[in-house]
Amino acid sequence: MLVVEKIYSGYGEVEILRDVSLKVEKGEIVSVIGSNGSGKTTLLRTITGLIRPRKGSIKYENQELLDLKPHEIAKLGIILVPEGRELFPQMTVYENLYLGSLVSKESKRKFQESLEWVYTLFPILEERCKQLAGSLSGGEQQMLAIARALMAHPQILLLDEVSMGLAPKIVDQIFDVIQEINREGITILLVEQNAVKALEISHRTYVLETGKIVIAGESSSLLTLEDIRKSYLAL
């Protein structure tokens, strides 16, 4: 579904990603784990067109993405939940969700259907629908960020550090919802510092270190690797 091949990418003269390749098959949850500064967010920003790579290829269902603008990539169904949530704090929960539906004609047409679904996934958002997004708790804001992305009717959902700064109970709830989203047929690429949770729910995992993929394999197998356990799982 998504194929990243030999990407070199960064900011200005600073090269962050070097020779990065990965693939995501339809219906998978694929995780990318790594320490701070390893290039995880840069990878997602490159896939979504927010950063232009210097070299390489990114194809979505065999269509090259490098010539497309970010909004054109979003229209294809590649939707990012950014690190830090990036909500519109002075708008209500409902208004943030409505904005999420404006990505494409398809998502606008399915607004009511998608709204009912995200309220099922996150009942608290229906209760808070008239509340300003900036007044929500951190966990509720993360739920809204995911729900807003779902309103865009994604084919592949890119999640950037969704557990950051959240209480363990909320993290468990968020990861349960991610699995539910996947069961509904949405493919997921998950960038996550919480390596234990990422490995537990994903089918395959890539380990990114200093801008390079250093290990890749089935998540269940990586959980048992001693190097992974020592470096990322604190076990």
Side-chain angles (χ1 to χ4, degrees), residues 2-7 20-23 43 47 57-58:
L2 180 70
V3 179
V4 176
E5 288 188 295
K6 298 184 178 299
I7 284 293
V20 170
S21 298
L22 61 82
K23 66 178 181 177
L43 173 62
I47 291 171
S57 170
I58 303 174

Side-chain angles (χ1 to χ4, degrees), residues 114-146:
S114 298
L115 186 66
E116 291 172 4
W117 183 41
V118 300
Y119 281 164
T120 299
L121 292 172
F122 302 112
I124 192 66
L125 296 182
E126 185 171 16
E127 294 178 31
R128 304 272 197 268
C129 66
K130 295 182 180 179
Q131 192 169 321
L132 294 182
S135 69
L136 300 177
S137 69
E140 290 166 351
Q141 288 188 17
Q142 188 62 74
M143 293 174 193
L144 179 55
I146 295 171

Side-chain angles (χ1 to χ4, degrees), residues 22-145:
L22 61 82
K23 66 178 181 177
V24 182
E25 302 285 357
K26 188 174 179 63
E28 282 190 312
I29 300 177
V30 173
S31 63
V32 179
I33 63 174
S35 57
N36 275 335
S38 61
K40 302 188 301 298
T41 293
T42 301
L43 173 62
L44 294 190
R45 289 175 62 84
T46 302
I47 291 171
T48 53
L50 297 170
I51 301 173
R52 292 294 177 187
R54 296 183 178 88
K55 296 180 186 177
S57 170
I58 303 174
K59 290 183 179 179
Y60 171 70
E61 294 187 334
N62 295 317
Q63 178 179 354
E64 181 60 64
L65 300 183
L66 296 190
D67 296 328
L68 300 181
K69 296 177 181 178
H71 72 275
E72 293 172 325
I73 293 173
K75 281 184 178 180
L76 293 176
I78 303 172
I79 305 297
L80 173 66
V81 178
E83 181 182 7
R85 300 149 197 163
E86 296 188 13
L87 300 171
F88 297 94
Q90 297 305 315
M91 301 179 75
T92 67
V93 168
Y94 179 88
E95 288 167 338
N96 272 270
L97 293 174
Y98 177 72
L99 286 175
S101 74
L102 301 181
V103 167
S104 68
K105 290 180 180 179
E106 176 76 0
S107 56
K108 283 187 283 188
R109 184 177 65 81
K110 293 192 172 184
F111 170 76
Q112 193 59 42
E113 177 185 331
S114 298
L115 186 66
E116 291 172 4
W117 183 41
V118 300
Y119 281 164
T120 299
L121 292 172
F122 302 112
I124 192 66
L125 296 182
E126 185 171 16
E127 294 178 31
R128 304 272 197 268
C129 66
K130 295 182 180 179
Q131 192 169 321
L132 294 182
S135 69
L136 300 177
S137 69
E140 290 166 351
Q141 288 188 17
Q142 188 62 74
M143 293 174 193
L144 179 55

